[in-house]
Amino acid sequence: MKNNEKYNRETLVLHADHEWGEKEGTVAPAIYYTSTFPAKDSAEFAEMASTPQHPQYYTRYGNPVHERVKMIMADLEGTETALVTGSGMGAITTVLLSMVATGDHVIAQKSHYMSTAKIMDEMLPRFGVEVTIVDQTDLSAFGDAIKPNTKLILLETPVNPTLLLTDLAAVTTLAKERGILVVADNTFASPINQRPHDLGVDVIVHSATKYLGGHSDITAGVICTSHELAEVIWDTHTSIGSVLSPMDAWLLLRGLRTLPVRMERINYNALALAEFLENQPEIESVSYPGLVSHPQHDLAKQQMKGFGAVIAFAIKGDYAATQRFVSALNLSLNAVSLGGVESLVIHSAAMWEGHLNEEQMKVAGIPPNYVRYSVGLEHIEDLKADVLQALAKI
Ligand SMILES: *Cc1c(COP(=O)(O)O)cnc(C)c1O
């Protein structure tokens, strides 16, 4: 029986890598802080050199700490295997560059994480890959976009910054009929809240910088998929070289041990804060998949077990009032990123100002009074009180 059939996720994050613990004879994992590993003799060296994903040959190819993270992540996502990279963008770029070639067609969403959108708008077209951008909430748009040369569909749900969802099962059904690969960025949900592979997704990518690491101290990425696809992706990975350092892999491993408990509290805190915000007279609107008012709340309940840390909301007021609100918050730090133990907040329009003009912001769904709040593990009553005192200052 496989680990992920035998154990619940709280147990998996602690024990899925136990064979390495037994080998090492330690309770806490060892950190293999080495770029290269010696063979006993040249026959063993020849074998190491020709073994894909060897965990003890050269760290760009693999490392025992990577191996432990891979075991846990594959079990959490329910895939056969996983790969680790130096960042979430490293994971996304590696997957895309290993899967598509000149002349292929890719379908992606109208909103994506900013750097992913840039790959779709600029990088893939530069290599002669055709890209069609569709409204992720419109299933027929995906169907209409499919062409004979469609190779891959990239999904991200919930999506940054609007928190709109994509119907994973519906899109994979469309894709499967035509042999199209589906890749999903599961960063905003985490494997605790959403398992895209169960809904037919072929490759799952994560920015492990967020929930998986969970402490805002590393950048890392994870790719979860089948053995067959992992082999192809790993081959490209060794050329692209988005390598996770052994120390950062160790911090990621430490973060994973508490992922289920952190997510439980984060889901609770964020839903409570979203409901609280919705009842404040100074707030114009709140977007959170867990709210009944979210336009895709039924889909959220169907494909998610919890709704994550990120709440997007609009202040009744202009750009300056929103700036005053964000600056007046004491507990949530004014910083990018999400999914850490501490609450973080950003004035969305301020973040995108240097990248998009006003019209583009409107299209991307980022009005000047928009705030993105990533809820941490603080006591919910303290977070509510902090928001209240800041709203009084707008
Ligand atoms: C942060 C993020 C990324 C990029 O990850 P990095 O670890 O910063 O490279 C990709 N997708 C989503 C949804 C993200 O939130």
Side-chain angles (χ1 to χ4, degrees):
M1 195 191 275
K2 288 199 301 199
N3 275 335
N4 56 1
E5 288 157 7
K6 192 160 69 174
Y7 297 122
N8 293 296
R9 56 211 182 166
E10 291 81 355
T11 311
L12 284 176
V13 293
L14 297 168
H15 296 287
D17 59 330
H18 79 106
E19 71 178 66
W20 277 95
E22 275 177 5
K23 221 179 286 186
E24 287 161 4
T26 59
V27 174
I31 310 173
Y32 291 69
Y33 226 121
T34 183
S35 59
T36 185
F37 298 81
K40 280 201 295 288
D41 51 36
S42 98
E44 192 191 49
F45 178 81
E47 195 200 311
M48 283 158 63
S50 60
T51 307
Q53 298 182 52
H54 196 298
Q56 290 175 278
Y57 170 62
Y58 184 59
T59 288
R60 177 153 47 79
Y61 288 45
N63 183 286
V65 199
H66 294 171
E67 211 57 29
R68 298 180 81 145
V69 171
K70 284 159 64 170
M71 287 170 164
I72 295 173
M73 281 305 300
D75 277 347
L76 281 181
E77 286 288 9
T79 54
E80 286 176 358
T81 188
L83 299 168
V84 293
T85 56
S87 69
M89 286 321 299
I92 293 167
T93 312
T94 302
V95 167
L96 291 172
L97 293 186
S98 60
M99 296 289 155
V100 300
T102 305
D104 286 340
H105 174 240
V106 169
I107 300 172
Q109 301 179 170
K110 198 167 74 183
S111 24
H112 269 298
Y113 182 73
M114 188 161 58
S115 304
T116 306
K118 207 165 168 168
I119 295 179
M120 292 299 152
D121 293 343
E122 295 170 20
M123 191 164 111
L124 290 185
R126 208 146 39 79
F127 293 108
V129 176
E130 214 186 330
V131 179
T132 303
I133 303 294
V134 299
D135 176 350
Q136 73 187 107
T137 64
D138 180 2
L139 195 56
S140 66
F142 282 97
D144 294 345
I146 293 173
K147 299 181 184 197
N149 60 337
T150 304
K151 183 71 193 284
L152 181 150
I153 302 179
L154 179 68
L155 306 177
E156 185 180 329
T157 177
V159 79
N160 194 26
T162 55
L163 296 171
L164 289 171
L165 309 183
T166 313
D167 188 331
L168 291 169
V171 176
T172 57
T173 303
L174 274 179
K176 286 265 143 33
E177 289 166 4
R178 298 164 178 87
I180 301 167
L181 276 171
V182 180
V183 178
D185 184 336
N186 202 28
T187 302
F188 260 54
S190 87
I192 304 302
N193 285 341
Q194 179 170 276
R195 296 226 313 185
H197 181 67
D198 295 344
L199 304 171
V201 170
D202 302 292
V203 184
I204 295 128
V205 289
H206 276 284
S207 168
T209 311
K210 317 293 167 51
Y211 296 115
L212 306 181
H215 294 74
S216 308
D217 48 10
I218 54 164
T219 65
V222 178
I223 301 163
C224 297
T225 189
S226 64
H227 288 302
E228 195 185 338
L229 289 176
E231 212 170 292
V232 179
I233 298 167
W234 177 80
D235 200 48
T236 301
H237 166 67
T238 58
S239 301
I240 290 185
S242 174
V243 183
L244 186 59
S245 89
M247 183 68 219
D248 288 0
W250 189 86
L251 287 167
L252 173 53
L253 188 55
R254 164 174 281 205
L256 284 172
R257 305 291 193 207
T258 56
L259 178 69
V261 256
R262 281 188 286 109
M263 290 313 297
E264 207 174 295
R265 174 59 65 90
I266 280 173
N267 288 338
Y268 170 81
N269 271 0
L271 181 59
L273 191 67
E275 284 170 348
F276 175 78
L277 284 165
E278 218 172 26
N279 289 319
Q280 301 313 309
E282 300 90 344
I283 302 288
E284 185 180 280
S285 65
V286 183
S287 178
Y288 184 70
L291 289 177
V292 179
S293 61
H294 188 284
Q296 296 165 294
H297 182 60
D298 287 340
L299 175 61
K301 281 192 297 188
Q302 195 181 307
Q303 70 183 20
M304 303 179 80
K305 293 199 184 81
F307 309 105
V310 181
I311 308 169
F313 56 96
I315 303 285
K316 275 185 194 154
D318 56 7
Y319 188 98
T322 314
Q323 269 184 322
R324 284 195 294 278
F325 168 73
V326 170
S327 302
L329 288 164
N330 294 319
L331 287 177
S332 46
L333 304 174
N334 191 181
V336 290
S337 201
L338 62 110
V341 289
E342 63 288 293
S343 291
L344 299 178
V345 67
I346 51 165
H347 180 195
S348 306
M351 165 160 130
W352 295 75
E353 216 170 41
H355 305 275
L356 304 176
N357 63 35
E358 218 166 285
E359 190 51 38
Q360 287 172 314
M361 279 205 226
K362 219 187 268 172
V363 173
I366 317 159
N369 55 342
Y370 223 49
V371 175
R372 190 186 83 186
Y373 196 113
S374 170
V375 183
L377 304 181
E378 296 91 346
H379 196 286
I380 183 62
E381 295 308 325
D382 295 333
L383 293 178
K384 286 182 191 171
D386 189 35
V387 164
L388 265 191
Q389 65 78 28
L391 282 175
K393 292 184 181 137
I394 62 172

